[in-house]
Amino acid sequence: MDNFLWGVAAGVLGVAALAFFAFTMFRRGPLTFQIDGFYTHVADGDVGPLIRDVQADVPDAAVCRLDDRMSCSIRDAVQCHNEAGRPDCDVLLLSGGGQWGAFGAGLFDTLSRNSGNELALGGVGVITGISTGSLQALMLMVALDPKQTPDMRSFALDRLVWGYAPERESDVVRRTGLIGVPLFGSAAGTRRLRQRIIEALMPGGDERLIEAIGQSSIEAFAGFVEAERGVFRYADIKELVKAAPTAAAAAEALAAATMASSAMPVFHQQLRVAGSDGEALALYDGGVRRSVFFDRAMAAVDREVREQMKGHALAKIAGGATQAAIAQDYEDTAPTVYVVRNGPTVRKRDAAFNTSSGPLKNGQRGYDLLVNESEIGAIAGLRLNNPYGRIMLTSADRYDTFPSDVGENFKDDEMFKPAFMARLRDLGRHKAERPEGPWWPLSRIEQV
């Protein structure tokens, strides 16, 4: 009997040792960047006035700051919009969505080719991006910059489309699926994504795109959540390039910022960024919690618009102007805000959820709830901080019903399915070319 018990114990220890060996051998651990001076160009994001009220009883709640580069950029955009003889300086907000970013790539590529001057959207002064939107922002701050040559804008769009046109999923990530999370620590390794971002920015070592990003007349910011504090932060894209000693170092810094924005816990390999002293080592959890930090941008727009309106709005009120007239004055004063939802706004119905279950399917449902509700709620919440300005939205809805014979209109658990991404790029083309165009307005606050 004793020999039997010893045998069982030895077997259990052997299995445990094998499991520990497999865990240490195969778990990915965080992907780490060492970027000198990275945190010089990263700022904590303000939660916005509405969330600040909710957190009023938190002893160490963050104090609102509106003197950082993003707020200054928003202020400049409003002032530019109202300066005689100047073009509009509008705001472009790019949501997350992973492979769904192929929709935005197809949209801007088609708008550019149909524009006559390779300028897909004129007058953009500020871009914010989360996750896949931060990757798009790198290319669009060149592609939408009127000071760049048409050839350079076209080149940036070519690299954008290339980034969302992989030949195989393994070109982007090493997907082991949710079932492999206990062993690997995440559903996909992202070292290949790091390589792909750098190749998109510097194809064959070509430094032109990096230089154009650093010289762009458009300000752009990538947002992400710091894991330890749970604080939303964002990086100044252009300043990361300017501060880098070489184009290669700049590409690494941009990859770090955009991958920090994309590092969705459980699904993507986690990511750390160390500063020059090696001590400012932070783990990041992507940026989807704050979508594309709409509230912060909108609060800044609203503040600047009201400051611009102060004199003539009071005069109108004294003269008996109607609320509708004041609202129109607000719309005329505010820059237009364009929002790209890189994904659908409703979840596709799946009757199988009522008849089957399991940890993997439940995990996927939880992910869908987190991402979709966060994105859609943030878009709807734009109106709370910008009650009357023009907010124009486009989304990847109708991806499975619009007329197309390109690629496939379905996917399973693939993170980057080439045939599905081809259909999404074609959806972007379709919406850009349809008679009503790709954008529709959000209703004013008094209309909802």
Side-chain angles (χ1 to χ4, degrees):
M1 186 68 176
D2 289 343
N3 290 337
F4 173 76
L5 293 176
W6 277 110
V8 170
V12 170
L13 288 173
V15 170
L18 183 62
F20 177 77
F21 174 77
F23 178 74
T24 55
M25 286 294 293
F26 293 106
R27 71 185 182 95
R28 298 186 177 100
L31 184 64
T32 301
F33 283 86
Q34 174 76 44
I35 308 294
D36 290 347
F38 184 80
Y39 291 100
T40 304
H41 310 295
V42 174
D44 286 357
D46 174 48
V47 297
L50 301 178
I51 296 177
R52 198 157 47 248
D53 284 345
V54 174
Q55 298 175 339
D57 213 23
V58 178
D60 56 350
V63 177
C64 175
R65 285 183 62 246
L66 290 175
D67 59 349
D68 59 272
R69 282 185 58 83
M70 191 180 85
S71 293
C72 291
S73 299
I74 294 289
R75 179 198 62 210
D76 293 344
V78 175
Q79 293 175 351
C80 169
H81 179 84
N82 291 280
E83 190 172 324
R86 293 284 301 278
D88 291 354
C89 295
D90 297 327
V91 180
L92 174 62
L93 308 176
L94 303 166
S95 85
Q99 66 185 325
W100 292 88
F103 162 70
L107 172 74
F108 284 104
D109 180 55
T110 304
L111 289 173
S112 173
R113 287 187 287 102
N114 292 346
S115 68
N117 62 356
E118 303 295 342
L119 191 60
L121 192 64
V124 172
V126 183
I127 301 175
T128 72
I130 286 292
S131 191
T132 204
S134 70
L135 298 170
Q136 294 171 331
L138 300 180
M139 309 304 175
L140 291 178
M141 63 188 297
V142 175
L144 302 181
D145 184 1
K147 294 185 178 179
Q148 301 289 340
T149 65
D151 285 347
M152 193 66 227
R153 292 197 291 269
S154 179
F155 179 63
L157 280 169
D158 286 346
R159 301 314 296 163
L160 176 66
V161 172
W162 178 87
Y164 288 96
E167 294 183 6
R168 58 192 68 84
E169 184 178 44
S170 59
D171 291 344
V172 186
V173 294
R174 181 171 181 263
R175 177 172 60 89
T176 46
L178 287 174
I179 196 170
V181 170
L183 180 60
F184 292 99
S186 60
T190 54
R191 292 182 185 277
R192 294 170 186 173
L193 176 59
R194 178 184 193 168
Q195 296 166 357
R196 191 168 182 85
I197 293 171
I198 293 173
E199 179 61 22
L201 290 166
M202 295 182 62
D206 189 335
E207 300 180 359
R208 288 180 297 157
L209 189 53
I210 295 292
E211 293 173 357
I213 291 172
Q215 297 169 359
S216 176
S217 64
I218 297 174
E219 303 293 338
F221 305 90
F224 35 74
V225 175
E226 182 186 302
E228 180 186 6
R229 297 185 297 155
V231 172
F232 187 86
R233 314 192 78 189
Y234 51 86
D236 186 323
I237 296 298
K238 195 158 59 175
E239 289 303 307
L240 285 177
V241 173
K242 289 181 177 179
T246 65
E252 281 284 327
L254 296 182
T258 53
M259 289 186 69
S261 187
S262 305
M264 181 72 179
V266 179
F267 284 82
H268 298 159
Q269 182 177 2
Q270 291 302 279
L271 184 132
R272 296 184 188 274
V273 182
S276 54
D277 58 4
E279 296 178 0
L281 182 65
L283 180 71
Y284 289 103
D285 284 344
V288 72
R289 193 186 81 183
R290 295 285 304 278
S291 192
V292 285
F293 41 116
F294 293 131
D295 49 2
R296 173 65 185 275
M298 289 302 92
V301 168
D302 181 69
R303 179 172 302 199
E304 292 302 325
V305 168
R306 291 182 186 277
E307 185 65 28
Q308 292 282 321
M309 289 176 60
K310 191 176 294 182
H312 49 98
L314 290 174
K316 284 190 173 186
I317 293 172
T322 64
Q323 179 62 33
I326 295 171
Q328 186 60 51
D329 191 21
Y330 186 110
E331 179 177 310
D332 294 340
T333 303
T336 299
V337 176
Y338 292 94
V339 185
V340 178
R341 165 59 180 139
N342 285 297
T345 59
V346 295
R347 195 177 186 282
K348 190 174 183 179
R349 185 173 181 177
D350 188 348
F353 281 128
N354 292 325
T355 59
S356 62
S357 186
L360 300 184
K361 287 189 176 182
N362 292 343
Q364 184 63 53
R365 284 166 55 205
Y367 173 79
D368 289 346
L369 286 171
L370 171 66
V371 174
N372 292 337
E373 294 305 312
S374 172
E375 297 277 6
I376 304 314
I379 294 172
L382 282 172
R383 270 299 172 221
L384 297 177
N385 283 317
N386 185 342
Y388 307 117
R390 291 179 73 239
I391 303 174
M392 307 299 291
L393 173 66
T394 191
S395 76
D397 289 305
R398 303 190 182 185
Y399 71 94
D400 55 344
T401 59
F402 83 103
S404 175
D405 57 2
V406 174
E408 298 175 354
N409 67 354
F410 63 91
K411 68 179 185 69
D412 294 317
D413 62 344
E414 300 96 340
M415 289 184 170
F416 294 92
K417 180 180 178 180
F420 183 64
M421 295 173 76
R423 177 64 62 95
L424 292 174
R425 294 194 305 274
D426 197 44
L427 174 64
R429 174 207 58 78
H430 168 75
K431 290 200 172 182
E433 292 181 342
R434 66 185 183 179
E436 65 270 34
W439 312 98
W440 60 90
L442 297 188
S443 300
R444 286 180 175 177
I445 196 71
E446 79 273 11
Q447 296 172 325
V448 297

